[in-house]
């Protein structure tokens, strides 16, 4: 296990350098998960790209900050991690809130971003009321109280079978996240709005979403793509909010095709 101390505490990360790499891919995880959601694409791409993945603040093994933690602080964490690893430019692939962190880095430090892969995310996710209700429920009843509702947003009915060990593992991963970290990240999403700023993104960008995503649906991700100049959009059939887990081969093929076309 590798940890890096930032100005806000330790981040748990993995760095897999590749000789003769086409570039460096950085993966940023979603709300209620840790960096293991990227296992499949990392395994498929690490022979061609250097890889960085990390548990965003207050998730997985990264340390907690017992105070409000806005999106700007999540972006700062990513900047400090790249600086510590001496990575001057990277391809940032973020899922859900990870996609908002990726967008934020592209706005605040465009020279550090070579391309963006924005997965199941948006320029503005949900409403203030939605996130306030989510925060209240977590604080009053814990994460287990919303388990089934979250899993319905994350995965298709076909995937959500008790006989599927990967699904059982994802349920355990969600339930073992820290409720305070989860609610603080909900607040960061609540307060972030990149509706105007997305037009400033100038790097090659792919927006991708599962067709059964109930958290950030196809219409939202298409709207995000429409607001980013010269971006591409891809729809993954029979997948929910986390296609890198539910449809890893298709997800990885889409990423590979985009990178080969736009960065060659």
């Amino acid at each position: 296990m590798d940890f890096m101390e930032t100005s806000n505490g330790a981040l748990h990360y993995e760095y897999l350098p590749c000789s003769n790499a086409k570039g460096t891919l950085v993966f940023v995880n979603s709300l209620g998960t840790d960096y293991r959601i990227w296992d499949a694409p990392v395994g498929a791409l690490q022979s061609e790209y250097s890889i960085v993945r990390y548990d965003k603040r207050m998730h997985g093994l990264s340390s907690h900050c017992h105070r409000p933690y806005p999106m700007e602080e999540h972006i700062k964490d990513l900047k400090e991690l790249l600086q510590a690893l001496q990575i001057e430019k990277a391809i940032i692939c973020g899922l859900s809130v990870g996609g908002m962190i990726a967008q934020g880095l592209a706005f605040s430090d465009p020279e550090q971003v070579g391309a963006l892969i924005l997965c199941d995310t948006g320029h503005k996710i949900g409403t203030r009321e939605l996130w306030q209700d989510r925060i209240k429920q977590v604080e009053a009843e814990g994460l287990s109280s919303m388990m089934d509702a979250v899993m319905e947003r994350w995965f298709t009915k076909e995937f959500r079978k008790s006989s599927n060990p990967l699904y059982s593992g994802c349920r355990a991963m969600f339930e073992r996240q820290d409720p305070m970290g989860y609610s603080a990240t909900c607040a960061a999403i609540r307060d972030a709005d990149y509706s105007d700023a997305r037009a400033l993104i100038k790097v090659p960008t792919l927006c991708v979403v599962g067709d059964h995503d109930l958290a950030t649906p196809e219409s939202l991700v298409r709207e995000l793509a429409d607001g980013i100049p010269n971006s591409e959009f891809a729809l993954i059939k029979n997948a929910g909010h986390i296609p890198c887990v539910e449809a890893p081969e298709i997800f990885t093929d889409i990423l590979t095709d985009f990178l080969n076309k736009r960065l060659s």
Side-chain angles (χ1 to χ4, degrees):
M1 293 186 290
D2 291 314
F3 292 86
M4 187 203 74
E5 189 67 27
T6 73
S7 55
N8 287 323
L11 285 180
H12 176 229
Y13 75 96
E14 179 179 55
Y15 179 37
L16 302 172
C18 172
S19 59
N20 301 316
K22 295 179 180 179
T24 299
L25 266 168
V26 179
F27 293 98
V28 192
N29 62 301
S30 56
L31 177 66
T33 70
D34 59 46
Y35 78 25
R36 290 173 293 182
I37 63 170
W38 303 110
D39 281 354
V42 166
L45 296 167
Q46 63 180 328
S47 63
E48 295 185 87
Y49 294 89
S50 294
I51 301 288
V52 178
R53 56 179 175 166
Y54 70 103
D55 294 334
K56 71 178 176 296
R57 180 69 59 199
M58 297 178 288
H59 284 67
L61 299 182
S62 290
S63 65
H64 293 207
C65 287
H66 297 291
R67 59 179 175 80
Y69 208 77
M71 199 67 68
E72 291 77 13
E73 294 297 321
H74 286 284
I75 296 163
K76 182 180 177 182
D77 281 337
L78 177 53
K79 286 183 180 181
E80 291 188 21
L81 177 62
L82 296 179
Q83 182 179 17
L85 296 175
Q86 299 182 329
I87 297 171
E88 296 182 358
K89 181 169 286 193
I91 304 153
I92 312 296
C93 177
L95 175 66
S96 195
V97 63
M100 299 196 83
I101 294 168
Q103 292 174 66
L105 183 64
F107 308 143
S108 62
D109 197 354
E111 296 301 316
Q112 200 157 21
V113 180
L116 286 176
I117 301 165
L118 304 177
C119 311
D120 299 80
T121 188
H123 46 290
K124 173 65 176 174
I125 300 176
T127 64
R128 185 172 189 85
E129 292 73 23
L130 179 151
W131 292 113
Q132 282 299 112
D133 289 346
R134 184 92 59 96
I135 290 167
K136 289 179 182 177
Q137 182 176 353
V138 172
E139 292 178 347
E141 304 174 36
L143 288 175
S144 60
S145 69
M146 59 179 63
M147 172 70 76
D148 290 338
V150 168
M151 293 299 114
E152 288 177 5
R153 292 192 289 270
W154 280 12
F155 301 116
T156 64
K157 183 178 180 180
E158 182 65 25
F159 188 86
R160 298 191 320 268
K161 292 181 176 179
S162 58
S163 59
N164 179 0
L166 183 54
Y167 174 58
S168 298
C170 288
R171 288 177 63 92
M173 175 179 60
F174 173 75
E175 191 168 25
R176 292 172 187 174
Q177 300 302 317
D178 181 79
M180 288 184 62
Y182 186 92
S183 61
T185 307
C186 287
I189 300 170
R190 177 198 65 198
D191 297 337
D193 187 346
Y194 295 148
S195 299
D196 296 330
R198 61 189 158 144
L200 303 175
I201 295 175
K202 304 301 182 185
V203 298
T205 301
L206 170 67
C207 299
V208 58
V209 63
D211 66 344
H212 285 67
D213 188 340
L214 300 182
T216 53
E218 176 185 347
S219 58
L220 174 64
V221 182
R222 283 191 182 274
E223 190 176 313
L224 171 64
D226 288 344
I228 299 174
N230 300 313
S231 67
E232 297 184 26
F233 175 85
L235 184 67
I236 298 179
K237 297 290 187 180
N238 302 314
H241 188 57
I242 311 184
C244 52
V245 170
E246 187 168 7
E249 295 84 3
I250 298 172
F251 178 84
T252 303
D253 286 346
I254 289 172
L255 264 63
T256 301
D257 289 345
F258 168 75
L259 294 172
N260 288 341
K261 178 173 60 176
R262 298 297 292 268
L263 301 182
S264 59

